[in-house]
Amino acid sequence: MRYEEFLPAAALRRWIQCYWFLHADHSEIAPEPVLPDGSFELVFQLGDPFSTVVDGKERRQSPAVLVSEMRGPVVVSPSGRAHSVGIRFRPGGAYPFFRQPLHEIVDAVHPLDDLWGSRAMGVRSGLGELFSNRDRARYLDRELLPLLHGTDDGFDRIMEVLRRRRGQVRVDSLARLSGISSRQLERRFVNATGASPKFFLRLLRFRFVVQAMQSSPQDWLDAAMAQGFYDQPHLVNEFRSFSGMTPGRFLANEFPLNVAFFQDSSSEGV
């Protein structure tokens, strides 16, 4: 399996974490539960399509999809040769690229043409005509910049604080930081992330726990407990609620997609 990332143009980095590119043969990727991380992603399949496994049944995905903020794991399965291109938004960073309030489209995998119309397949075709991932990254810059609209500097600053503090902020402190009431803050969160502030903070803490498990599998527990959990049972219950498994089971298995998707992108593609 080959996985590669590139940063977006500087003008997009407040909202987009990275562009990612996955190449793999069918034998290299088994069906895998991809865990929620508080982010939206756009995925274009230039090779054989992936399937989503729901209740033991495979449902073939569209060649271009929006994977919205998920509440639990989504089992994905390749059908053949994987050649995928993804746009990973930062937590709370997808809202300027869609006209719909995001609470209307959370917790699902949506065909992108339902949201972007013919532009979705046009972008996929444009990606398929290029021969290097670096060129594809720059092509995505050109496609995404015109879609940027309705940005909210105050909300973006709140997101920067949350990411920097790894979700360890009280909701009432966020309201004071933004200079609005808790009820107004909740409305802004629901429209821009699809989740309440309290639930979004839980997702961010879970995200950083998984990153700690991947970076330090032998001594991850202390780093995870520093994320504000009351005790170890609280951590285990929270991990199970988002992943459908215990931390021990997650550590005992190889999940290459999660290893790739949960890494903290901070530099140009390798």
Side-chain angles (χ1 to χ4, degrees):
M1 184 179 87
R2 182 186 174 204
Y3 178 81
E4 189 174 23
E5 292 184 357
F6 287 90
L7 288 175
L12 294 169
R13 290 180 192 174
R14 176 182 286 192
W15 305 279
I16 297 174
Q17 179 175 324
C18 70
Y19 305 131
W20 57 263
F21 304 89
L22 174 70
H23 298 260
D25 293 330
H26 183 271
S27 61
E28 295 180 285
I29 304 179
E32 178 177 338
V34 177
L35 307 186
D37 65 356
S39 299
F40 284 69
E41 301 211 22
L42 296 178
V43 183
F44 300 89
Q45 300 296 350
L46 306 185
D48 296 317
F50 272 61
S51 296
T52 304
V53 182
V54 179
D55 297 328
K57 297 180 180 179
E58 289 193 9
R59 299 178 181 174
R60 189 66 57 87
Q61 290 184 0
S62 168
V65 297
L66 169 68
V67 183
S68 65
E69 180 186 278
M70 306 303 292
R71 269 57 171 168
V74 176
V75 178
V76 297
S77 176
S79 63
R81 181 183 60 88
H83 183 189
S84 307
V85 177
I87 300 167
R88 181 173 305 134
F89 296 100
R90 294 186 183 278
Y95 76 92
F97 300 91
F98 298 92
R99 300 291 177 179
Q100 301 90 337
L102 295 192
H103 68 84
E104 298 178 357
I105 52 177
V106 294
D107 207 23
V109 178
H110 300 272
L112 188 55
D113 52 7
D114 287 353
L115 304 167
W116 274 8
S118 61
R119 188 185 195 103
M121 290 299 103
V123 171
R124 178 179 177 270
S125 296
L127 289 167
E129 293 172 359
L130 300 170
F131 295 99
S132 79
N133 290 337
R134 188 176 297 276
D135 287 343
R136 292 185 179 106
R138 302 292 72 86
Y139 170 81
L140 289 173
D141 286 340
R142 295 191 296 272
E143 289 294 324
L144 288 167
L145 279 167
L147 296 178
L148 191 59
H149 75 284
T151 58
D152 183 337
D153 287 343
F155 183 79
D156 293 340
R157 285 194 295 271
I158 291 172
M159 287 295 105
E160 290 171 6
V161 170
L162 291 185
R163 291 192 292 264
R164 188 167 59 250
R165 297 186 183 178
R166 301 186 174 188
Q168 295 188 69
V169 186
R170 292 173 55 91
V171 174
D172 55 356
S173 297
L174 284 179
R176 286 196 299 272
L177 177 67
S178 58
I180 58 177
S181 69
S182 295
R183 181 169 294 183
Q184 290 172 318
L185 180 70
E186 175 128 1
R187 283 199 297 267
R188 288 172 78 174
F189 257 82
V190 169
N191 285 334
T193 73
S196 69
K198 184 176 180 179
F199 188 85
F200 192 80
L201 293 178
R202 289 177 58 205
L203 271 174
L204 283 188
R205 287 193 306 182
F206 173 76
R207 174 192 180 101
F208 287 112
V209 166
V210 176
Q211 289 178 342
M213 295 171 77
Q214 293 178 342
S215 62
S216 304
Q218 305 304 319
D219 56 359
W220 65 274
L221 187 56
D222 288 343
M225 289 299 297
Q227 297 307 312
F229 296 97
Y230 306 128
D231 51 29
Q232 190 169 338
H234 179 212
L235 166 61
V236 171
N237 288 335
E238 192 77 341
F239 193 92
R240 184 185 284 116
S241 71
F242 282 121
S243 70
M245 68 185 87
T246 64
R249 182 187 164 200
F250 179 77
L251 285 168
N253 286 271
E254 292 186 6
F255 294 121
L257 294 180
N258 284 283
V259 169
F261 295 160
F262 272 84
Q263 61 183 283
D264 187 13
S265 310
S266 58
S267 60
E268 280 287 354
V270 178

